[in-house]
Amino acid sequence: MSFLHSTRFPPYVVDSLDENYVVLAGGGGTSRTGVPNSIELIKLRFDGHKVSSKSVHTFDLDDAIMRGKVVSMGGENRFFAVLNNRVDIYRIRPCIEEENAVPDDAKPGLKRRKKPVPIELLKSITIVTKISKEKEDYLTAIDVNAGTGLVVVGQYSGLVHLIERENMKNFDSKMEELDDISVHPSGNQVALFSRRAGGAVWQIDGEPKLFSQIVLKEETSKNYQFRRGCYVSQVDKKDVVWLITALNPRVRDGKSDSFIVKWNDKDYQVLRATSHGKMPITTLQPSKDGVFLAVGDANGDISLYITFSLQRTRRIHAHANVVTALSFLPPALRPGTDFECACASASIDQKIQLVTLQQRRKVSFWFVLTCTVALIYIIFSIMAMVSV
């Protein structure tokens, strides 16, 4: 693990933009605490031994971004950000520093340095969240399907908004305390997760309708609640899609484990489950190739799992407080060829850390076969000597 960056605000979003840049977002909210609300773009550098960063641009806001996602659409990088009662859509274009560029006051005709292009607000979509004079609602979750351009936003009350181009429609999932949303890679379904109402999958390619409940055993349902969930597909097997969910104990007594559960996407039956330990899970994120799963918890620990088997490959105490967000870096940013993956993590301790996984050693089939044959030969030789 290595320290990557320090922010002026508690970050709730970390997402890699491309092989060179990472987007951070968060803040202190609307209360006058002096803690800024910002989006920060940082540039990563690899010197051959470690990854370092520098702040490139900061965009200040009137409220904190609690959830967000970076998506490449139409050749541009867009950042979809959830604030209290609105969704902001930003265009993010990294700074380009030309080699051998000359100052702005140079003579006409000479090549000039390109100025940094700031983070640009394209659109702000206000969503009415007030239920009544006594009860206030707010936005809690967002996911974006890059292929279809569909943006799905959820409210605490269970109301879900589908935004596609200039059109917006909504439906009431009846899932109060809605905490997370994940859109299926096909764009036809959306999985919803509520601490109170459990999990459910809705069909959204036409008029929204309930497709399936994500059902836990009765005893498990009494004692556990959904915390996070995400669809995962592997690059080499795009037709195979899994739903990964995090289950935390309803009562935090320090005795019950949290669990990671993998479901199929046909009838949403459990394929595999594994214990994460006693600490509640706060966030999870799959790698872009679907091979690895990063999990953060309330103790500040980061765990890396193999998605297929849910086998934990590494666990490290990365932060002094709750882990709020995770993002795998693209392969080009892996610090050296002896690392399989690198994951950036954010916490309310205002630090961004980088957790890496060393290359696992692979033993060839022929080596195993040769050793097996040799072992059999040795055993039979010993037996022959004993019999004589």
Side-chain angles (χ1 to χ4, degrees):
M1 184 191 75
S2 59
F3 171 76
L4 194 60
H5 190 72
S6 181
T7 62
R8 302 178 300 126
F9 52 87
Y12 298 105
V13 177
V14 55
D15 206 346
S16 58
L17 185 67
D18 55 25
E19 65 273 12
N20 295 309
Y21 295 89
V22 172
V23 175
L24 310 173
T30 55
S31 57
R32 297 181 179 180
T33 59
V35 179
N37 303 302
S38 301
I39 304 171
E40 185 175 6
L41 183 65
I42 64 173
K43 183 176 182 179
L44 304 185
R45 291 179 174 178
F46 175 52
D47 63 5
H49 300 285
K50 66 177 183 178
V51 176
S52 60
S53 70
K54 73 169 184 177
S55 181
V56 172
H57 185 75
T58 300
F59 189 98
D60 290 331
L61 304 159
D62 59 349
D63 201 353
I65 294 175
M66 304 303 295
R67 303 291 290 275
K69 185 170 184 177
V70 171
V71 178
S72 179
M73 301 176 67
E76 292 185 336
N77 291 306
R78 304 262 176 117
F79 178 47
F80 295 81
V82 167
L83 291 87
N84 184 46
N85 66 343
R86 73 176 193 266
V87 176
D88 285 351
I89 304 174
Y90 298 87
R91 177 193 290 127
I92 300 182
R93 290 177 286 190
C95 303
I96 302 174
E97 295 183 1
E98 297 181 2
E99 295 183 1
N100 304 318
V102 297
D104 288 340
D105 58 355
K107 296 180 180 179
L110 292 179
K111 195 174 185 180
R112 299 178 183 276
R113 182 186 300 275
K114 290 184 180 179
K115 294 183 178 180
V117 179
I119 300 169
E120 179 185 0
L121 176 63
L122 296 179
K123 185 186 297 185
S124 186
I125 304 172
T126 300
I127 298 175
V128 178
T129 57
K130 196 173 185 66
I131 297 176
S132 65
K133 292 182 179 180
E134 296 78 23
K135 192 174 183 180
E136 191 78 19
D137 200 0
Y138 54 92
L139 304 179
T140 56
I142 187 170
D143 197 15
V144 184
N145 185 285
T148 63
L150 175 68
V151 182
V152 184
V153 186
Q155 293 183 204
Y156 179 86
S157 63
L159 195 63
V160 179
H161 304 270
L162 308 176
I163 306 169
E164 194 166 10
R165 297 181 177 88
E166 300 299 324
N167 300 318
M168 182 169 70
K169 59 182 178 180
N170 57 57
F171 65 90
D172 190 355
S173 68
K174 307 295 184 183
M175 298 176 68
E176 194 170 344
E177 295 188 31
L178 186 64
D179 197 44
D180 204 7
I181 283 175
S182 184
V183 180
H184 193 280
S186 67
N188 296 330
Q189 294 179 344
V190 59
L192 310 176
F193 303 97
S194 162
R195 302 190 195 192
R196 177 178 296 185
V201 177
W202 282 69
Q203 194 77 24
I204 57 173
D205 51 349
E207 191 64 28
K209 60 181 179 180
L210 181 65
F211 177 82
S212 174
Q213 295 284 352
I214 304 175
V215 181
L216 299 170
K217 292 181 179 180
E218 184 177 354
E219 189 65 27
T220 305
S221 181
K222 289 180 181 179
N223 299 321
Y224 283 86
Q225 60 187 3
F226 285 99
R227 184 66 175 91
R228 288 284 184 263
C230 62
Y231 283 104
V232 180
S233 62
Q234 296 192 347
V235 172
D236 57 344
K237 297 179 180 178
K238 291 188 177 181
D239 57 327
V240 178
V241 179
W242 302 312
L243 180 65
I244 308 291
T245 62
L247 293 178
N248 286 341
R250 291 187 181 274
V251 179
R252 186 174 174 180
D253 55 8
K255 299 178 182 179
S256 302
D257 287 3
S258 297
F259 286 88
I260 303 167
V261 185
K262 183 167 74 172
W263 315 70
N264 69 40
D265 71 329
K266 301 299 185 289
D267 55 1
Y268 292 93
Q269 297 297 311
V270 174
L271 298 175
R272 193 179 296 269
T274 188
S275 169
H276 177 72
K278 305 300 181 187
M279 280 295 157
I281 296 170
T282 55
T283 184
L284 54 79
Q285 180 67 38
S287 60
K288 291 173 173 55
D289 57 9
V291 175
F292 297 102
L293 178 75
V295 177
D297 63 33
N299 192 48
D301 292 352
I302 308 294
S303 295
L304 299 178
Y305 292 84
I306 298 172
T307 308
F308 177 78
S309 62
L310 293 186
Q311 176 188 355
R312 179 154 44 198
T313 58
R314 189 176 187 193
R315 183 171 194 159
I316 188 169
H317 185 64
H319 294 279
N321 217 313
V322 175
V323 180
T324 55
L326 298 161
S327 179
F328 280 91
L329 305 184
L333 281 176
R334 293 174 186 168
T337 56
D338 58 338
F339 287 88
E340 283 197 75
C341 67
C343 181
S345 63
S347 168
I348 56 177
D349 64 7
Q350 300 184 209
K351 290 182 174 61
I352 310 299
Q353 304 281 16
L354 187 68
V355 179
T356 56
L357 179 65
Q358 285 190 327
Q359 190 78 31
R360 293 168 292 169
R361 294 183 179 180
K362 297 180 180 179
V363 181
S364 70
F365 168 77
W366 295 110
F367 178 77
V368 174
L369 181 61
T370 302
C371 290
T372 303
V373 172
L375 181 61
I376 293 173
Y377 175 77
I378 293 171
I379 292 173
F380 273 99
S381 297
I382 294 174
M383 291 175 64
M385 291 174 63
V386 171
S387 63
V388 173

